[in-house]
Amino acid sequence: STERCYHCYQSTKALLALLADRHGLIQPSYTDAPTGALGRGAAAPPGGPSTDVGFGGGGGSSAAAADPHRDHDVQVFEGEWDEEGVYVYQAFNDEIADWAVQHQRFGGPRFKPERMTWIKPSFAWVLYRSGYASKHNQERVLKIKVSHGAMAHILSTCSTGHGGGGTVGRVQWDPSRDLMAAEPKKREPRKMLRARAIQIGMKGELSRFYVENTLSIEDVTALSRAVGEAHGIKNTTAMNETMAALGPELPDERAYMPRCSEEVLVGLGMKRGATSESLSRIGKGKAHDSR
């Protein structure tokens, strides 16, 4: 069945990621996944080839040649996306989350659009930061969709840096978190030592732009807590089986190339240049936890 095929695909993908992370291998792209695995809302770029790489930037090179998984020196934006847009995650308190889901936009008496806010394309990362939707004022996890054009504008306004880096927008690359496995001695998504995940911070005008350009808002708190319960299972086999059962509900995160200019992509470390070289020198496993 499609569901069984999907479970096998997810288990194989998780195992390959674990082996690649431990041994410094280049992770494969998953263009040969079974129908129903990558097909949960995913679509090829309009007018472009069916590929797991995502939308091309300003360089115009072929998708195969631009596959960022083949280059350890560039950073890879991984997230769930389709023809319409790309998904990001945020955690809020009940009042802000209820208002956002009801009105399908952010607002309400407690929401402050100008404050610094961080969005995360990685579901595992928002689970890590929110404690699986359990920390104070982070009891609800929302899945927000923004258009490809809006994401390109946001990233084009960002600088890359930690601490004081960036102005109204900041991009940071922190060690990835594994959605399919937990840390051995604590309940949190396993830290990946050889891959980084993008974090996007916004304030002021850029934060308001993001708020005004959301396409949809979905409450994924129940799924967040279900993953947390699975990650708390001590028996590895039982945990893997529980995660496999959750498989159809989990996001299909794959490499994504924003529709930004070549200059912006180089500045963000997504294509070769000074930023990618600097990030390579930092090392894959060093975290900058300011979000």
Side-chain angles (χ1 to χ4, degrees):
S1 68
T2 298
E3 183 177 351
R4 180 178 296 177
C5 197
Y6 173 76
H7 289 167
C8 293
Y9 160 71
Q10 278 290 0
S11 298
T12 302
K13 183 176 177 180
L15 178 59
L16 289 173
L18 175 62
L19 292 173
D21 185 52
R22 287 182 176 176
H23 300 290
L25 305 175
I26 298 175
Q27 294 187 40
S29 58
Y30 298 95
T31 52
D32 296 326
T35 301
L38 294 183
R40 294 173 293 127
S50 177
T51 167
D52 208 35
V53 175
F55 292 89
S61 58
S62 70
D67 187 350
H69 279 302
R70 300 180 185 179
D71 188 346
H72 277 305
D73 294 333
V74 299
Q75 304 303 312
V76 182
F77 182 138
E78 289 196 350
E80 184 179 9
W81 54 271
D82 58 22
E83 275 191 6
E84 188 179 35
V86 59
Y87 293 93
V88 297
Y89 298 90
Q90 289 185 276
F92 295 99
N93 61 38
D94 287 329
E95 186 176 341
I96 291 175
D98 284 338
W99 199 100
V101 172
Q102 179 182 349
H103 295 86
Q104 284 298 290
R105 61 186 176 88
F106 288 111
R110 294 194 60 186
F111 185 78
K112 297 178 173 59
E114 282 116 10
R115 68 181 289 273
M116 190 72 176
T117 187
W118 290 87
I119 57 176
K120 308 173 192 307
S122 166
F123 187 40
W125 243 97
V126 78
L127 298 185
Y128 166 63
R129 292 299 296 176
S130 68
Y132 304 97
S134 68
K135 292 182 180 178
H136 179 62
N137 280 333
Q138 299 184 66
E139 299 91 349
R140 301 279 290 282
V141 174
L142 302 183
K143 180 178 184 178
I144 303 107
K145 191 177 196 180
V146 297
S147 70
H148 299 295
M151 179 58 71
H153 174 77
I154 290 169
L155 291 174
S156 296
T157 313
C158 290
S159 299
T160 302
H162 296 90
T167 52
V168 295
R170 189 192 309 169
V171 160
Q172 295 183 185
W173 297 94
D174 292 298
S176 295
R177 293 282 168 169
D178 187 356
L179 183 59
M180 301 302 291
E183 285 286 342
K185 297 183 179 180
K186 48 188 173 181
R187 192 171 67 102
E188 63 182 42
R190 186 178 68 88
K191 183 177 178 180
M192 307 283 281
L193 299 179
R194 300 183 182 276
R196 286 182 175 271
I198 190 171
Q199 324 286 332
I200 305 166
M202 303 165 289
K203 64 181 178 181
E205 283 183 23
L206 192 58
S207 180
R208 288 194 297 272
F209 174 84
Y210 162 70
V211 166
E212 293 164 3
N213 284 275
T214 55
L215 299 179
S216 65
I217 302 175
E218 178 186 356
D219 189 341
V220 291
T221 304
L223 178 59
S224 302
R225 292 174 179 167
V227 173
E229 291 176 5
H231 283 186
I233 298 174
K234 301 300 183 183
N235 182 281
T236 302
T237 301
M239 184 198 71
N240 290 340
E241 290 175 351
T242 304
M243 288 302 301
L246 291 173
E249 301 178 60
L250 299 176
D252 173 32
E253 295 177 359
R254 52 202 176 116
Y256 172 79
M257 188 65 77
R259 292 175 173 177
C260 300
S261 69
E262 185 87 6
E263 180 182 5
V264 168
L265 293 172
V266 169
L268 295 176
M270 294 188 218
K271 292 204 171 182
R272 280 182 173 271
T275 302
S276 64
E277 290 177 7
S278 175
L279 287 166
S280 294
R281 286 196 296 269
I282 291 174
K284 298 291 186 181
K286 185 175 178 181
H288 299 270
D289 261 356
S290 60
R291 288 125 343 273

